[in-house]
Structures are given as structure tokens and as C-alpha cells.
Amino acid sequence: MNEKNLLAKQIESLCDGVANPISNLANVSALLWQEFPNINWAGFYLMQNGRLELGPFQGKPACTVIPAGKGVCGRAAEENRTVRVADVHDFPGHIACDGASRSEIVIPIRKNGQVWGVLDMDSPVKDRFSEEDTANLEEVARTLENTLFPY
């Protein structure tokens, strides 16, 4: 097994001893905002009553509710998989909360195998998120799952 990436280690430290998921997600969104260049949004949507509702984030005001299956976030949640989009203008049904966004990555956060929420990051740069970013952010999501739902 590979050694944890630095972001995952920082998240473990930030969340150590903190039981409140909202506090943890707020700190993680701030950390991602600080550590990733060329992004214009970093945050979370949380599954509530079969739809995604806005959680802690950094960036411009965002859509507050996303129906399951709609947009990049809704697709990632519905399919329970990471969705990385090089150019959101080419993504059918993209929800444009910020017209400046060009690329996006969304990673599910699971509790007992079910989507509990999603980590969402947007960038004004086309094809901003690499395969390495994807692997690192998926590890961030797994670290969050272990932190938020330790049992």
C-alpha cells in the first residue's frame, strides 16, 4: 500500500478529535482551497432526502440543491463514482453555478458503501485536474470517510 499523500495526512491532523462533520468539512474545504492552484471552488454537497444540498465550501456562492443525476455532482452521486470533466461546456446537463468554471472533479464520500456526500472542485482552467489529482483527491475522500465514520 502506498504511503498516504500529504493532503490526507493533513486532513487526519485537522480532524483528529473533532466529531462534528461540518467542522471537519469546513477545514478540509479551506485546506483544498489553499493547496490547489487554479481553482475557483472547493467544497462539499451532502445527501439529504435523495438530493445533494450545499455543505461547507470555499469560493463564490453556489447552487444550494442539486437533484440526484443532475450535473456533474448529481451524476457522481447517482453512479457512486468519481467524475472528472475536462470541459464542463461539453458535459450534457452541466449546472453552471459559476460561469467561469471550465473543468470539474467530483468524488463521492461514502458511509457504509452509500453516497453520503460529494467532494466537488471547479477550475476556470480547461482540463485542470490530472490523473494524479484524481488519485490524491480520492485518497482525501477515503481519509474523510475514515475520519467522519470511524465505525
Side-chain angles (χ1 to χ4, degrees):
M1 187 167 172
N2 293 337
E3 185 179 328
K4 284 190 179 279
N5 69 48
L6 181 58
L7 276 174
K9 289 177 184 177
Q10 289 173 303
I11 289 166
E12 285 178 338
S13 275
L14 279 173
C15 299
D16 185 38
V18 180
N20 184 324
I22 299 303
S23 297
N24 288 327
L25 295 177
N27 262 340
V28 171
S29 64
L31 177 66
L32 295 172
W33 181 259
Q34 173 184 306
E35 295 298 321
F36 275 81
N38 299 316
I39 62 169
N40 59 343
W41 205 89
F44 299 91
Y45 282 91
L46 309 179
M47 190 62 75
Q48 298 289 325
N49 302 314
R51 64 188 194 172
L52 293 167
E53 294 185 4
L54 184 63
F57 71 94
Q58 299 286 313
K60 291 182 179 180
C63 304
T64 55
V65 174
I66 299 175
K70 302 295 181 189
V72 182
C73 289
R75 167 102 37 101
E78 183 177 72
E79 296 179 3
N80 196 357
R81 68 176 181 89
T82 297
V83 177
R84 184 177 76 191
V85 179
D87 189 343
V88 295
H89 299 296
D90 295 335
F91 188 88
H94 174 253
I95 299 169
C97 296
D98 180 352
S101 291
R102 285 298 303 274
S103 58
E104 184 170 4
I105 187 167
V106 180
I107 297 108
I109 298 170
R110 301 172 186 98
K111 180 178 182 179
N112 300 322
Q114 301 297 310
V115 175
W116 177 83
V118 297
L119 163 58
D120 180 22
M121 292 180 65
D122 296 353
S123 172
V125 177
K126 184 178 176 182
D127 204 17
R128 160 63 184 86
F129 303 102
S130 67
E131 288 194 27
E132 181 180 359
D133 291 332
T134 302
N136 286 336
L137 290 169
E138 286 175 339
E139 186 174 359
V140 162
R142 302 303 70 86
T143 300
L144 269 172
E145 289 168 357
N146 292 332
T147 301
L148 297 172
F149 320 115
Y151 308 105

